[in-house]
Amino acid sequence: MDNVVRRLLKGAQLVDEGQKDGVFAHDEPEAKSADLLDATDHMLDALVEHIEDCGGIIQSSFPVDERKRSEQAVARFKKSILEYRDHVATIVNYMKHSQGRLRLVVMTTDAISTLGYYVEGVTRSGGIGPVGTVHSNENSAFSYNRDLPFHACQIFLVGVKLAEALTAIDPGLHVGNGSEISNTKLGALLPLVSALPKIYFPDELLKDQPYLGVSGQGVVLEFPSQRVHPATHGRMKVKALFMTDGATKEFSVPYLGQSEMNKTFTLLQQRRPFVRLLV
């Protein structure tokens, strides 16, 4: 838990710093983009490793001669978090086995910049851009403003499912309420992530929304939540940082495609009437 929280915290600190000082929206941000994408890569690895560690904890709760029962318990646990596990595992596996790369994308107006990333690979047209294995329409990305609260909520969900799996094995186990746990990194992460602007990329407004609220009374996490009413940019500039190779003829940048954008905004008006567009 300490490892995954540390990796999330590092990414959140770089995003917070980058969005506040506007360095990614102006000038040449290559050096800082490398730091942020490295932190994102480590974060995604840590999230997958955390899920596998939970499986190991379940396995270790059985005697050695009860291998079949332990495998069944691990399988039930992984099924209970299947959608989230598939999400992060698909990204990590594509990067590991298909030489995928993380690329930075910035959406800006004159006053606001929203940072995000996408997984680069070979597209259906044979060019290089957001890969269909991860991005279904090959024209989207993940904003950190949504992605970091999403992962923060999910690691708690994983913890809940782990607790359920362990108490099913041994009903005598005590499940704490969280007040007994002291983690200074977690104490720094949650307020930072909860304060991120609710300004997302267009397609993310159609997704389920994570909510993370921090107050003097404690922490509230919800997914999906009806409390979040995110905004997106209406007129915006899109900047992506990628490296050309002198041979590839086609490079795709997320959200550059007027017909795709029009389709997204039409869906927003139909399905999410409370969504605000920043124009």
Side-chain angles (χ1 to χ4, degrees):
M1 186 68 173
D2 187 71
N3 184 52
V4 73
V5 170
R6 176 169 54 86
R7 298 287 179 84
L8 278 164
L9 177 59
K10 178 64 175 177
Q13 289 170 332
L14 289 171
V15 169
D16 181 61
E17 176 187 333
Q19 290 189 157
K20 282 181 177 176
D21 64 22
V23 67
F24 292 101
H26 308 288
D27 304 320
E28 297 298 327
E30 282 81 1
K32 285 203 172 186
S33 72
D35 292 340
L36 178 54
L37 291 177
D38 282 346
T40 305
D41 192 351
H42 294 322
M43 176 190 78
L44 293 166
D45 283 341
L47 288 164
V48 172
E49 290 164 2
H50 179 61
I51 292 172
E52 295 305 315
D53 284 341
C54 290
I57 291 171
I58 294 170
Q59 278 187 311
S60 70
S61 301
F62 287 89
V64 177
D65 59 353
E66 294 190 16
R67 181 175 177 179
K68 185 175 182 180
R69 282 188 63 212
S70 71
E71 289 176 346
Q72 290 172 340
V74 171
R76 286 193 297 270
F77 164 72
K78 290 186 175 180
K79 184 178 180 180
S80 71
I81 57 168
L82 183 62
E83 186 173 353
Y84 178 64
R85 178 173 175 263
D86 281 355
H87 171 71
V88 290
T90 297
I91 296 174
V92 171
N93 287 340
Y94 185 86
M95 292 173 61
K96 181 182 294 184
H97 301 296
S98 300
Q99 292 301 301
R101 296 287 186 271
L102 294 181
R103 299 299 186 195
L104 185 74
V105 60
V106 188
M107 194 171 286
T108 67
T109 64
D110 292 336
I112 302 169
S113 64
T114 303
L115 305 181
Y117 67 95
Y118 63 96
V119 181
E120 181 188 80
V122 179
T123 63
R124 286 184 284 267
S125 64
I128 301 296
V131 68
T133 306
V134 177
H135 307 280
S136 58
N137 60 0
E138 296 190 344
N139 193 30
S140 61
F142 304 117
S143 72
Y144 289 104
N145 287 344
R146 180 185 181 275
D147 204 53
L148 289 168
F150 171 67
H151 289 305
C153 287
Q154 293 299 324
I155 60 173
F156 279 89
L157 173 63
V158 170
V160 168
K161 294 303 181 181
L162 173 63
E164 290 176 357
L166 294 176
T167 53
I169 298 167
D170 182 358
L173 288 175
H174 168 65
V175 180
N177 61 9
S179 61
E180 305 161 15
I181 301 171
S182 176
N183 186 310
T184 55
K185 294 184 183 68
L186 190 60
L189 171 69
L190 297 180
L192 189 59
V193 171
S194 70
L196 288 170
K198 305 301 185 289
I199 304 173
Y200 301 164
F201 292 160
D203 61 296
E204 293 179 315
L205 304 183
L206 299 171
K207 298 179 179 179
D208 290 332
Q209 303 302 336
Y211 173 77
L212 198 163
V214 180
S215 66
Q217 285 69 45
V219 180
V220 176
L221 300 103
E222 293 179 351
F223 183 82
S225 176
Q226 296 299 316
R227 301 187 194 213
V228 181
H229 302 281
T232 190
H233 304 265
R235 294 179 180 177
M236 72 281 188
K237 298 176 182 176
V238 179
K239 177 189 289 186
L241 296 180
F242 53 85
M243 185 175 293
T244 61
D245 55 17
T248 304
K249 296 181 179 180
E250 178 185 319
F251 286 86
S252 302
V253 175
Y255 306 110
L256 290 188
Q258 194 61 39
S259 61
E260 187 67 33
M261 292 297 293
N262 286 339
K263 183 171 69 176
T264 299
F265 285 129
T266 300
L267 286 171
L268 289 177
Q269 292 170 353
Q270 293 172 350
R271 296 176 55 186
R272 297 288 177 98
F274 56 80
V275 167
R276 294 180 292 117
L277 303 182
L278 302 178
V279 179

